[in-house]
């Protein structure tokens, strides 16, 4: 197989991307002709099945093949974006786990960090959340390495045996191992792993030297424990789907890969060994898909807004590349693996409206999800949601998903009326307030990802997608002062499409702290060479004999507690090469923080982490151009819609819009998986790729 997803020689030509969301599972499939040319693309949706996501997964594949008139034998590859690991953590359904660490460091989780979360001006009011491992399940072993990886005391096997036996007897399912300074030398962790294999062979084990070979003991321990906590769930989920895929086409294994948080994909077999890499992988696919669409339309730097049924995910794309961070968290758990920098808020089409004890209207973060869903779905939901509000005000049609979901206007009105009565206002005014709060929740998230990162949100076009992402696109245009809003074709399935555009990616890292003026350049070159060899081997396991390996470094000024992540130049590593990296650091520090210490001997630069990023490129589905229109598209009808006031809004079928067509608000642009209300005073222009470009008229 020439790379992940390559043809198996049996005429397999269909690539499928499946993104599982809280409410719907989105599917995009493309048929690829000889030479890699896309001959047909289809998209569809199916309700998610939270109790067993693999059911909706297989239904989606069946629906896609039916639309293409194809059979399982024609499936070349399947790519999947999932939030299984994320949901497992956020819902607190953590596998019973234990921690084994170095003797004397048993309180590492209790001490944690001195920082207090945003919103608590005084630490007196903040109570630390429960530890992921209770204190009685934290055990220690003798032995010690120093910060250079040199052995101070030998590994104590007797204490290791005692620790493992205690955790086994306590019924612990998974064990996280984080020994002091194992990022410099993993021999003690390997010895402990052998003890666990011998004494408790059924235990699931995660070693910090493999999960995150970086310094900062607390974050390394937490990341390792999160990996151990989700490993059984992810392994079971992946194996279930792989088994069902095998049953689709007996006699061969359909290549199956999963989206990773870092913006790449990896084969399912590899993901099972490093499940931490899939945390927040679902939102990453949407960012990559939006970036590809925006670049094709001529926008290299954008802000993305992915509105689903449960949440909204926002991110920044600079020069065609999503911002990536290694300083993130899932709920209360810090996770330091590379991931696309996404801010998530509980604002989606299923977000529930409620009245606070102070008597104010709130929307979210609680969601009706897929079951029972919004009240208007008629599946037993009785609480008012954003979707109910949009229906009551005429912003969305009475049927969704191409007519497949009939909405109940009376049920929506009844649900909203209960909240409205508590506020002493009418149901329609309450619905308008719900949508306004929803828009502000999204706008605040977009400001966090831009202004909070030293960027001006007004400099970036906004790309909205997802089922609810474009519902208030015009309102976001006003709230943010964005120059334009781009709504891609089939916005509800951009995340699933993004899965088909993503390269295979393998990351590796090594901590090597050194002042630049004391840098051992030959040792630096040796470290990068070893990292590069390991990364190329990881690419070979994914089927890429070639691939591209990028060197990356984390630098800071001496005394700082945070680093700046930098792409390093190609070429031989010598003193001149290191100086070029330092120059990039000064430039990047000024860009992000407004100052630098270039030329200041009293403010030396410090190297912290060395990284490599391996990329196995895949053929991306082409984005076709659409025919030119007359400029005046056909109006398919009108509907009473409330914006500031009730108006008659023209209705347009997006499938009939052509390049150059213009739509002035008030109007509604409808399509299979999404609706774009065009407010009075806004104008939509259709570009040659079918994107809707919204501006103030």
């Amino acid at each position: 197989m020439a790379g992940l997803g390559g043809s198996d020689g049996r005429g397999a030509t269909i690539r499928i991307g499946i993104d599982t969301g809280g409410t719907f599972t989105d599917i995009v499939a493309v048929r690829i002709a000889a030479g890699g040319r896309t001959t047909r693309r289809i998209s569809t949706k199916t309700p998610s099945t939270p109790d067993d996501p693999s059911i909706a997964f297989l239904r989606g594949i069946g629906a896609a093949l039916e639309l293409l008139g194809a059979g399982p034998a024609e499936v070349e590859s399947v790519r999947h974006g999932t939030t299984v690991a994320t949901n497992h953590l956020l819902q607190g359904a953590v596998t019973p786990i234990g921690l084994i660490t170095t003797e004397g460091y048993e309180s590492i989780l209790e001490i944690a960090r001195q920082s207090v979360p945003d919103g608590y001006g005084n630490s007196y009011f903040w109570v630390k959340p429960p530890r992921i491992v209770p204190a009685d399940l934290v055990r220690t072993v003798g032995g010690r390495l120093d910060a250079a990886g040199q052995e101070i005391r030998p590994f104590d096997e007797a204490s290791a045996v005692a620790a493992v036996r205690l955790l086994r007897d306590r019924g612990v399912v998974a064990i996280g191992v984080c020994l002091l300074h194992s990022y410099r030398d993993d021999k003690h962790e390997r010895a402990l792993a052998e003890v666990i294999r011998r004494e408790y062979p059924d235990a699931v084990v995660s070693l910090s030297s493999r999960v995150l070979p970086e310094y900062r003991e607390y974050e390394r321990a937490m990341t390792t424990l999160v990996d151990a906590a989700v490993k059984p769930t992810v392994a079971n989920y992946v194996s279930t789907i792989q088994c069902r895929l095998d049953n689709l086409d007996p006699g061969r294994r359909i290549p199956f890969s999963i989206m990773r948080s870092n913006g790449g994909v990896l084969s399912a077999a590899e993901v099972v060994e490093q499940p931490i890499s899939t945390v927040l992988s679902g939102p990453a696919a949407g960012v990559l898909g939006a970036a590809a669409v925006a670049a094709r339309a001529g926008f290299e730097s954008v802000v993305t807004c992915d509105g689903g049924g449960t949440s909204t995910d926002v991110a920044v794309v600079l020069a065609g590349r999503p911002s990536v961070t290694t300083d993130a968290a899932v709920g209360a758990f810090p996770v330091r693996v590379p991931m696309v920098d996404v801010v998530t808020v509980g604002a989606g089409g299923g977000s529930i409206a409620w009245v606070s004890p102070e008597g104010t209207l709130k929307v979210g973060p609680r969601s009706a999800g897929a079951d029972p869903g919004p009240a208007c779905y008629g599946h037993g939901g009785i609480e008012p949601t954003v979707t109910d509000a949009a229906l009551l005000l005429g912003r969305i049609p009475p049927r969704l998903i191409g007519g497949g979901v009939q909405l109940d206007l009376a049920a929506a009105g009844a649900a909203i009326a209960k909240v409205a009565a508590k506020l002493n206002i009418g149901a329609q005014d309450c619905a308008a307030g719900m949508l306004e709060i929803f828009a502000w929740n999204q706008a605040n998230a977009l400001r966090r990802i831009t202004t909070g990162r030293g960027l001006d949100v007004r400099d970036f076009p906004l790309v909205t997608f997802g089922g609810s992402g474009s519902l208030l696109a015009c309102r976001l245009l006003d709230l943010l002062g964005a120059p334009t809003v781009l709504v891609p074709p089939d916005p509800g399935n951009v995340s699933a499409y993004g899965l088909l555009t993503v390269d295979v990616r393998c990351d590796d890292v090594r901590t090597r702290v050194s002042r630049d003026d004391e840098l051992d350049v030959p040792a630096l070159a040796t470290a990068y060479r070893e990292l590069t060899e390991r990364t190329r081997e990881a690419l070979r396991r994914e089927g890429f004999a070639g691939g591209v390996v990028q060197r990356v470094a984390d630098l800071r000024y001496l005394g700082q507690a945070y680093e700046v992540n930098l792409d390093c130049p190609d070429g031989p590593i010598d003193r001149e090469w290191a100086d070029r990296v330092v120059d990039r650091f000064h430039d990047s520090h000024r860009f992000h923080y407004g100052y630098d210490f270039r030329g200041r001997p009293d403010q030396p630069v410090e190297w912290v982490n060395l990284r490599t990023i391996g990329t196995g490129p895949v053929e991306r589905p082409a984005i076709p151009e659409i025919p030119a229109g007359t400029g005046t598209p056909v109006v398919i009808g009108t509907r009473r819609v409330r914006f500031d006031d009730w108006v008659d809004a023209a209705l347009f079928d997006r499938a009939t819009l052509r390049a150059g067509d213009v739509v002035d608000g008030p109007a509604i642009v409808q399509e299979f998986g999404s609706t774009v209300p065009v407010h009075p005073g806004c104008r939509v222009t259709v570009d040659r790729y079918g994107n809707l470009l919204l501006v103030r008229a």
Side-chain angles (χ1 to χ4, degrees):
M1 184 172 71
L4 191 70
S7 174
D8 66 353
R10 297 175 57 195
T13 62
I14 295 172
R15 300 174 187 168
I16 302 176
I18 302 179
D19 179 60
T20 299
T23 306
F24 287 101
T25 294
D26 305 328
I27 305 97
V28 171
V30 295
R31 187 185 289 278
I32 306 296
R37 183 173 58 89
T38 303
T39 60
R40 190 179 175 197
R41 169 180 161 183
I42 63 93
S43 60
T44 187
K45 288 175 175 284
T46 187
S48 294
T49 50
D51 291 339
D52 184 358
S54 65
I55 294 175
F57 182 95
L58 267 294
R59 285 177 184 166
I61 291 179
L65 293 178
E66 183 177 350
L67 288 170
L68 289 170
E74 295 180 72
V75 177
E76 177 185 293
S77 64
V78 177
R79 291 180 161 200
H80 184 34
T82 176
T83 56
V84 166
T86 308
N87 294 341
H88 188 72
L89 294 170
L90 295 180
Q91 293 167 6
V94 175
T95 301
I97 55 177
L99 169 64
I100 301 179
T101 188
T102 301
E103 189 174 50
Y105 287 80
E106 58 269 20
S107 298
I108 185 172
L109 301 183
E110 298 299 327
I111 297 172
R113 289 294 176 193
Q114 65 180 4
S115 58
V116 174
D118 291 341
Y120 293 89
N122 188 322
S123 60
Y124 176 81
F125 298 101
W126 178 63
V127 178
K128 283 186 178 182
R131 305 294 91 183
I132 191 173
V133 177
D136 62 311
L137 295 181
V138 178
R139 314 312 298 173
T140 63
V141 297
R144 177 73 182 270
L145 303 178
D146 65 15
Q150 301 300 312
E151 188 174 81
I152 298 175
R153 293 191 298 274
F155 176 73
D156 181 5
E157 184 169 325
S159 63
V161 170
V164 174
R165 289 178 177 175
L166 183 143
L167 295 178
R168 180 194 62 195
D169 295 342
R170 293 284 185 88
V172 164
V173 174
I175 299 174
V177 174
C178 184
L179 302 184
L180 195 65
H181 302 310
S182 61
Y183 58 87
R184 291 304 302 263
D185 191 324
D186 66 348
K187 59 186 177 184
H188 283 190
E189 285 200 356
R190 285 187 285 109
L192 179 52
E194 178 59 28
V195 171
I196 297 173
R197 187 196 64 77
R198 187 178 67 241
E199 297 290 334
Y200 189 11
D202 293 334
V204 174
V205 182
S206 292
L207 304 181
S208 72
S209 54
R210 296 180 184 173
V211 175
L212 186 69
E214 294 184 29
Y215 89 139
R216 291 191 173 99
E217 301 303 315
Y218 171 66
E219 286 79 7
R220 185 157 58 90
M222 285 298 301
T223 303
T224 302
L225 290 169
V226 168
D227 185 77
V230 302
K231 191 171 281 186
T233 299
V234 172
N236 180 65
Y237 176 72
V238 170
S239 64
T240 298
I241 289 182
Q242 185 68 71
C243 182
R244 295 190 175 188
L245 282 175
D246 292 344
N247 291 335
L248 272 182
D249 190 15
R252 73 166 179 135
R253 170 152 287 195
I254 297 175
F256 174 42
S257 55
I258 294 178
M259 184 74 195
R260 305 177 74 196
S261 312
N262 63 9
V265 292
L266 201 62
S267 64
E270 290 289 331
V271 162
V272 168
E273 297 302 319
Q274 39 187 305
I276 187 69
S277 67
T278 69
V279 173
L280 296 180
S281 74
V287 178
L288 271 294
V293 171
R296 185 68 166 161
F299 301 103
E300 291 291 332
S301 297
V302 297
V303 178
T304 68
C305 177
D306 178 3
T310 303
S311 62
T312 293
D313 305 308
V314 300
V316 175
V317 177
L318 296 172
R321 297 175 57 182
S323 298
V324 176
T325 182
T326 57
D327 186 15
V330 180
F333 307 122
V335 177
R336 287 190 62 87
V337 295
M339 59 179 64
V340 173
D341 193 3
V342 174
V343 168
T344 300
V345 292
S351 293
I352 294 171
W354 51 287
V355 178
S356 72
E358 297 79 24
T360 58
L361 179 63
K362 303 285 186 180
V363 179
R366 198 162 57 89
S367 172
D371 184 18
C376 62
Y377 279 17
H379 296 157
I382 58 174
E383 296 182 284
T385 68
V386 169
T387 299
D388 295 311
L391 177 65
L392 190 64
L393 300 183
R395 304 282 185 95
I396 60 176
R399 291 176 179 268
L400 299 181
I401 316 300
V405 178
Q406 174 69 50
L407 302 182
D408 187 337
L409 178 62
I416 294 173
K418 295 176 184 178
V419 171
K422 297 178 181 179
L423 299 168
N424 295 317
I425 60 175
Q428 293 176 1
D429 289 337
C430 182
M434 289 168 60
L435 294 186
E436 182 70 4
I437 293 170
F438 177 66
W440 275 98
N441 288 343
Q442 290 184 321
N444 288 337
L446 288 159
R447 289 193 177 101
R448 281 176 58 195
I449 201 72
T450 50
T451 307
R453 307 290 198 271
L455 304 171
D456 190 338
V457 67
R458 296 170 296 180
D459 294 337
F460 295 87
L462 175 63
V463 182
T464 61
F465 57 99
S468 66
S470 304
L471 185 63
L472 293 167
C474 291
R475 188 70 184 112
L476 291 175
L477 193 68
D478 291 337
L479 293 177
L480 300 173
T484 187
V485 176
L486 184 153
V487 184
D490 193 19
N493 283 342
V494 168
S495 291
Y497 167 74
L499 291 166
L500 302 179
T501 71
V502 177
D503 297 324
V504 170
R505 173 168 162 161
C506 304
D507 294 83
D508 208 342
V509 61
R510 177 180 298 178
T511 292
R512 192 176 187 88
V513 181
S514 172
R515 287 175 48 150
D516 183 64
D517 54 10
E518 300 172 355
L519 186 64
D520 185 340
V521 176
L524 180 75
T526 298
Y528 267 122
R529 184 173 63 253
E530 292 172 353
L531 282 170
T532 299
E533 290 171 355
R534 287 189 351 206
T535 302
R536 291 197 184 281
E537 176 56 32
L539 286 174
R540 281 192 288 270
R541 290 198 301 270
E542 293 296 306
F544 290 90
V548 178
V549 177
Q550 169 71 48
R551 293 184 295 232
V552 180
D554 297 345
L555 274 66
R556 67 187 180 191
Y557 291 115
L558 186 67
Q560 287 182 329
Y562 57 88
E563 295 84 47
V564 175
N565 184 264
L566 305 159
D567 287 344
C568 298
D570 296 329
I573 296 178
D574 51 22
R575 185 63 252 181
E576 181 183 355
W577 180 91
D579 289 341
R580 298 209 307 274
V581 175
V582 172
D583 283 340
R584 291 187 181 188
F585 165 70
H586 292 308
D587 293 340
S588 182
H589 198 282
R590 173 166 288 278
F591 175 79
H592 286 289
Y593 304 108
Y595 71 96
D596 66 75
F597 292 130
R598 190 191 307 269
R600 291 273 302 274
D602 60 323
Q603 298 287 348
V605 172
E606 191 171 46
W607 295 67
V608 180
N609 295 314
L610 313 180
R611 303 180 186 273
T612 49
I613 300 172
T615 303
V618 299
E619 191 75 28
R620 290 171 172 77
I623 299 177
E625 296 188 17
I626 63 173
T630 62
T632 307
V634 175
V635 177
I636 62 172
T638 60
R639 184 167 69 237
R640 293 289 288 174
V641 179
R642 176 169 168 173
F643 292 106
D644 292 332
D645 298 299
W646 285 97
V647 296
D648 289 320
L651 304 181
F652 296 88
D653 180 359
R654 187 167 182 180
T656 67
L657 298 183
R658 298 292 180 261
D661 283 348
V662 176
V663 174
D664 286 317
I668 303 290
V669 180
Q670 301 175 169
E671 60 181 303
F672 175 80
S674 185
T675 302
V676 183
V678 184
H679 292 217
C682 286
R683 167 171 290 180
V684 169
T685 303
V686 184
D687 75 3
R688 59 180 175 153
Y689 301 108
N691 300 302
L692 305 182
L693 302 178
L694 283 72
V695 297
R696 270 286 164 192

